[in-house]
Amino acid sequence: MVKTYLERAAEKKARQILAIPPEWRLKDISSSYTAPDALNFIRTSGLMSPEELALTEVINIGSLLQEIALGKVTALYVTKVFCKRAAIAHQLTSCCTEIFFEEAYKEAEKLDHILSTTGRTVGVLHGLPVSVKDSIQVKGQDTTIGWVGLIDRPAGADANSVTVLRKLGAVLYVKTNVPQSLMMSDSYNHVFGQCLNTLNRNLISGGSSGGESSLISAHGSPLGIGTDIGGSIRIPAALCGLYGLSPSMARHPHERGGAKQNMVLPVAGPITTSLASIEFYMEALHSAKPWEIDPRNAPLPWRAERCSIPARHKLRIGYVIDDGVVKPQPPIARAVKQVVEALRTDGHEVMEWDSTSHAYAYELFRKAILSDGGAACKKMCDMSGEPLIEGLFVGTSDHLLTTTETHELHAQKFDYEATYLARWYNEGFDALIMPVTPWVGYKPWTWVKSNQYVGYTSIFNLLDWPALTVPVTKVSKSSDEEIPQDWLDHQGRNLSDEFNKQQYDFKLVEGMPVGVQVICGKYEDEKCIAVGKLIRSLLDDIQE
């Protein structure tokens, strides 16, 4: 008898729980109402020793790697402690998909043996546990991407990014949750269920790299690799108070399988708890010469000297608070204004960037992403009989493009890229500061009734420019309880704008993080980090 998609999903989920050692399984998982803060639960439950908590809450991966290289801790011990914390975090948030601790232990033991016998590390990331998004193939593990039809189809080879990670000495141990098809700013699917925000389990962790952001904010991973085609690294990072880099496509290995549109390409990139870890990882990555593994990567070494702004050097920075399509909720606008004011006070030239063309860019993005008319998703649904989840950014027959229409779209995209690039360099800007999303946080299942808008992030996927998420502030009673008059008076411009205004609820998102994104010109990934460091330094000075 053929099993239903629900039966197959339940079996997969049951096997996942069995992959967690019995001694780490929670006997009583508190509800999201009695224990909404999973991070606080992990810290105060007594499930982890003070030593384990301290090790997993290291801020800079470089310092942890130094401890391993000097033999102060073993790769095996570090791996086991992060596996334990990941297991606890997963049971509270459903952040993981594939759990393969035993394979990780074997790899860590191998690395320890090499270090003890040769005195040398395998690579810059020797012994570092690294989590990867479910869509990134790891040999021997499923890559379901939230589809029931892809259960029990283990990858025959590592993805390019995983190949590079292993070359650098990293230890892979979990893959993380995503939305069905990846095309949603939430992480829910029929296989692994709803991923929740570690900081408030009544809210989502974003998507499509939502499992990564949830796991990393729980300190269940020191470094995670997500992917981004319209904001899928930056949005989850912002929702969980993390740093996330959506790099230039040619500067991080990543490949996609299957026949897909080739106009807006996804990139892979890091999500971490600190900017120092982002910088450390990107420099380590380029030391492995990923262009010798991935044909889309350019032989452009990491320019470490560009990751800091020289003393007394002043920047020319543009900013966007409202792109004219969807007005950001008050805490989002406040965060951008806070950064703008800090930069201005420090003597930098800061001016509003004309974003009137961004609505057109979003239409180009939408046409490209929806251009297959939903055919790929229909094929996946047909494999198992599962329904397509509502609210996904997936096309219908009305969006299907002919060959001629596709060629025309390519031309329109190129013209837009050329115009934007010329304006950027003609006006001499160093960076842009703008919202990541126009919203702070949503309850699970909000997306199914939404008109989702990712225009603040997707334009830079269309352009293939690097963008970095930087945490700025939190929603607070003192700053946000009183609703600004311009928000009260605002009339919705379109369905997405109306939805965004209707959903804002100060009480729902009080205490949640709010960030901005830093965007720099093509291939200026290092400058993103430099400007991010400048902003972080200025904000820290203000808080002190």
Side-chain angles (χ1 to χ4, degrees), residues 46-66:
L47 295 169
M48 301 190 74
S49 70
E51 294 77 17
E52 290 171 334
L53 289 171
L55 184 144
T56 48
E57 298 203 15
V58 63
I59 297 301
N60 186 344
I61 60 172
S63 60
L64 177 58
L65 286 163
Q66 186 176 38

Side-chain angles (χ1 to χ4, degrees), residues 126-153:
H126 182 104
L128 184 73
V130 176
S131 54
V132 297
K133 184 176 181 176
D134 186 78
S135 56
I136 298 174
Q137 288 194 354
V138 175
K139 184 177 180 180
Q141 305 300 326
D142 279 356
T143 305
T144 63
I145 320 176
W147 295 111
V148 174
L150 296 181
I151 291 173
D152 294 332
R153 296 191 178 199

